[in-house]
Amino acid sequence: MRAVIQRVTQASVKVDNKVTGAIGKGLLILVGIEDADTQDDIDWLCKKIAGLRIFDDENGIMNRSVMEIDGGLLAVSQFTLMASTKKGNRPSYIRASKGEYAEPKYEKFCQTLENEAARKVEKGIFGADMKVSLLNDGPVTIIMDTKNKE
């Protein structure tokens, strides 16, 4: 499972010109899922995201989590995060899970993150053509991969 986490001052996702999820200050999380992902991957990733100290404290030091600032969470499924660009110029998405496997994992990720962070997770619509808007704060962007925990 891969995630791109962006600290934002605001973010939203639209499907067919209708907002399906929106937050103010908080985290926009783009999530990619592969068949090898398990509940352990979800649990590890959600715990890391909820506790990630990337918001400024009173001294301007990144020392607070999204929970500590009472920030929002917006999770958007994105199969292209699983792209392989090793050969040629056309990315391969062979590692990305098919919808019948990935959608339940995405929903479980969102539910687990809600429980871990004790707040609602706003979302896009799985498999839809989504338009994501954000104002990256910093910019601060973190990439996490449950198969490469660094």
Side-chain angles (χ1 to χ4, degrees), residues 78-103:
Q78 188 173 351
F79 78 93
T80 59
L81 286 180
M82 301 314 295
S84 171
T85 56
K86 189 174 184 177
K87 289 176 52 178
N89 292 320
R90 184 173 185 204
S92 168
Y93 303 107
I94 196 142
R95 284 187 55 202
S97 291
K98 302 289 184 245
E100 60 271 6
Y101 181 82
E103 187 171 9

Side-chain angles (χ1 to χ4, degrees), residues 117-132:
R119 67 202 59 243
K120 184 179 192 304
V121 173
E122 296 287 321
K123 326 187 250 193
I125 296 176
F126 186 90
D129 180 20
M130 295 177 275
K131 307 301 180 205
V132 180

